[in-house]
Amino acid sequence: MKVNWQGVYPAVTTQFHDDESINFDTTKAMIDNLINEGVHGIIVLGTVGENCSLTADEKRQVLKAATEVVGDRVPLLSGVAETTTALAIEFAKDAEALGIDGLMVLPGMVYRSTEREAIHHYQQVARSTALPIMIYNNPVTYGVDVSIEGMKTLAEESNIVSVKEATEDTRRISELFSAFGDRYVVFGGVDDIALESLMLGATGWISGLTNVFPRESVVIYRLAEQGRFEEARALWRWFLPLLRLDTIPTLVQCIKYAEQLAGRGSEVTRSPRLPLTQEEKAYVSRLFDEAMANRVDLSQFNLD
């Protein structure tokens, strides 16, 4: 199995009509635009994609729509966020049959797993599919941290090839490399420490705000990849206020509202998520307007 996952992978939103039904046309157009603007891969049905708010049939429809628009242009990953291991296995098999390139697997939803239980969940999903798997390690949100020792156990599963590191502790990235060398492809999974993660050796960045500013995200990655950190920092500091929206409880609403401000999508989320309050919208609008007013001229960076 060869996995060449690297670069900027937006965790894309699932677009809805005003009645909260899925707007497949807008979802596909949004994905197409992101690829045309240079992102290196696409992740559907993550947190930002409101995975847990969709029915089983809707999830499969989103996967089908995504495969149609992505084709073989970039790798296409799907989040796996189910309430039981059996349902996660079923979803993994269906995703493989539909032509998804890889899976970003979350621990079981609703029930807060112990580390032992999370490891068992990941093992069973991995053994059910030939697809390469990324472990989404986000103890802040999901309440379970797969430690370095836990990752040693998961290293025995040949198709567990990557980790989305979202502990918010950048030391973990160095610990992963010290323990495993190049055994795992490491992605930074927290928007507002992405540059630090890339500087420490992460070869990818999974991002929510890339949906709003894809070109800037790609340039930050490319500059970091080339070791041009002083230039990357200047662009990073411009982006950072918006990136912090990815780390708050209303991150999905904030990202979708910013997409709407940018003319890239709709703010509509599915209940129980509610629209932002006027005060919250004013805050996001201010950050977006400041970013637009001070937008960096990307032509100054020679990335050839």
Side-chain angles (χ1 to χ4, degrees):
M1 184 191 314
K2 179 174 176 58
V3 175
N4 188 30
W5 297 346
Q6 58 182 356
V8 178
Y9 282 51
V12 301
T13 58
T14 303
Q15 292 292 302
F16 297 116
H17 296 287
D18 288 342
D19 65 358
E20 298 187 10
S21 62
I22 298 175
N23 187 333
F24 289 101
D25 289 342
T26 302
T27 299
K28 292 171 71 173
M30 175 193 60
I31 292 172
D32 186 57
N33 288 337
L34 287 167
I35 296 172
N36 291 336
E37 290 169 303
V39 302
H40 303 92
I42 295 289
I43 300 180
V44 295
L45 299 180
T47 303
V48 177
E50 297 181 69
N51 187 318
C52 293
S53 297
L54 305 185
T55 68
D57 184 56
E58 286 176 328
K59 294 178 188 184
R60 275 67 172 180
Q61 291 179 55
V62 169
L63 295 186
K64 185 175 184 297
T67 59
E68 290 171 355
V69 67
V70 173
D72 59 1
R73 292 186 290 169
V74 297
L76 173 61
L77 279 62
S78 174
V80 181
E82 303 294 332
T83 56
T84 69
T85 302
L87 288 174
I89 288 171
E90 181 181 353
F91 183 86
K93 291 179 177 178
D94 289 348
E96 183 174 1
L98 286 166
I100 299 299
D101 297 313
L103 303 173
M104 181 179 74
V105 183
L106 284 67
M109 297 291 98
V110 183
Y111 173 71
R112 179 170 291 189
S113 305
T114 65
E115 184 180 15
R116 181 172 71 93
E117 291 168 329
I119 289 171
H120 179 265
H121 178 81
Y122 291 135
Q123 288 172 323
Q124 300 311 304
V125 175
R127 293 168 188 175
S128 74
T129 178
L131 290 178
I133 286 175
M134 173 189 294
I135 299 299
Y136 183 6
N137 191 40
N138 187 342
V140 176
T141 301
Y142 301 116
V144 55
D145 181 16
V146 180
S147 65
I148 294 297
E149 287 301 312
M151 293 303 296
K152 287 180 181 178
T153 300
L154 292 176
E156 298 172 9
E157 309 296 328
S158 62
N159 62 329
I160 295 181
V161 299
S162 180
V163 57
K164 176 183 177 181
E165 169 44 45
T167 61
E168 297 188 351
D169 182 354
T170 54
R171 290 172 294 191
R172 181 63 63 86
I173 293 172
S174 296
E175 291 168 353
L176 284 165
F177 284 114
S178 294
F180 302 107
D182 62 359
R183 168 62 182 81
Y184 291 113
V185 177
V186 179
F187 274 72
V190 183
D191 264 0
D192 64 355
I193 54 171
L195 181 57
E196 293 93 326
S197 300
L198 293 169
M199 292 174 72
L200 289 169
T203 56
W205 172 18
I206 296 173
S207 172
L209 270 301
T210 292
N211 290 293
V212 185
F213 289 105
R215 295 185 190 277
E216 285 83 354
S217 300
V218 170
V219 170
I220 288 170
Y221 171 79
R222 293 285 306 280
L223 290 171
E225 183 184 35
Q226 295 177 17
R228 295 161 61 181
F229 296 120
E230 184 174 351
E231 293 167 276
R233 281 196 298 270
L235 186 54
W236 178 255
R237 288 167 182 164
W238 165 85
F239 205 1
L240 185 58
L242 277 167
L243 293 172
R244 293 201 182 281
L245 296 175
D246 189 59
T247 65
I248 61 178
T250 54
L251 73 137
V252 177
Q253 294 96 314
C254 288
I255 290 168
K256 290 186 107 173
Y257 184 57
E259 281 184 292
Q260 180 169 296
L261 293 173
R264 305 182 67 93
S266 165
E267 69 171 310
V268 179
T269 54
R270 184 170 281 184
S271 301
R273 287 186 176 91
L274 294 177
L276 298 174
T277 65
Q278 289 305 309
E279 182 179 3
E280 290 169 329
K281 285 185 176 182
Y283 177 66
V284 176
S285 295
R286 179 173 62 79
L287 294 181
F288 178 80
D289 290 345
E290 288 176 355
M292 292 299 294
N294 299 288
R295 198 168 189 177
V296 179
D297 179 6
L298 300 181
S299 66
Q300 67 182 285
F301 304 108
N302 181 4
L303 296 170
D304 296 332

